[in-house]
Amino acid sequence: MLLQQLETLDQELQYLYQEKDINFEQLTVFLSNREQLLHQCMQVSEIVHSTEWQTAIARTELIVDEMNQLGQQFALDYQKLNHAKKSVQLYRKFQ
C-alpha cells in the first residue's frame, strides 16, 4: 500500500515537472509527502528488502536529478533575466 502511494506520487511529480509553468507550492507539498512516505516505508522491513523498494530508490535518484536540472535551468533563466534588465537600464541611460 505504501509503495503504491509512493509510485502514484512519483507519477504526479513527473507530470508536474513536464508542465511549462511549474506550481512550486504543489511541488513542495508533493516532495514533503514523498519524504513522509519514504520514512514510513523504511519502518517496514518487508518493504526495505523488496524489489519494489529498489525501484523506488531508483526513482528517487531520478527525481533528485530532475530537481538539480530544474535548479540549473532557473539559475540560467535568472542570469538571462538579469542581463536583459541591465541592458534595458543601459539603453534608458542613453535615451
Side-chain angles (χ1 to χ4, degrees):
M1 179 72 176
L2 290 173
L3 288 173
Q4 290 173 344
Q5 290 175 336
L6 186 61
E7 185 174 359
T8 300
L9 186 58
D10 288 348
Q11 290 171 354
E12 292 173 0
L13 276 167
Q14 289 293 327
Y15 178 75
L16 187 62
Y17 288 141
Q18 294 172 1
E19 290 183 7
K20 185 172 182 160
D21 293 323
I22 296 175
N23 182 338
F24 288 100
E25 291 176 15
Q26 189 176 24
L27 179 62
T28 302
V29 170
F30 282 172
L31 291 174
S32 177
N33 290 346
R34 190 177 196 283
E35 182 179 11
Q36 291 173 5
L37 278 172
L38 285 173
H39 286 293
Q40 290 173 3
C41 287
M42 288 189 299
Q43 301 301 318
V44 181
S45 64
E46 294 84 21
I47 291 176
V48 174
H49 298 295
S50 69
T51 56
E52 291 87 2
W53 178 251
Q54 297 305 317
T55 303
I57 296 302
R59 286 194 315 264
T60 301
E61 292 171 359
L62 290 174
I63 289 170
V64 168
D65 288 342
E66 288 173 348
M67 290 297 294
N68 287 332
Q69 290 175 7
L70 188 61
Q72 291 171 355
Q73 183 60 45
F74 280 118
L76 183 61
D77 290 346
Y78 177 75
Q79 280 182 326
K80 289 178 184 178
L81 180 64
N82 198 28
H83 180 71
K85 181 180 174 184
K86 288 179 183 178
S87 296
V88 169
Q89 288 173 345
L90 186 60
Y91 173 77
R92 287 183 180 162
K93 182 179 179 180
F94 290 108
Q95 275 186 327

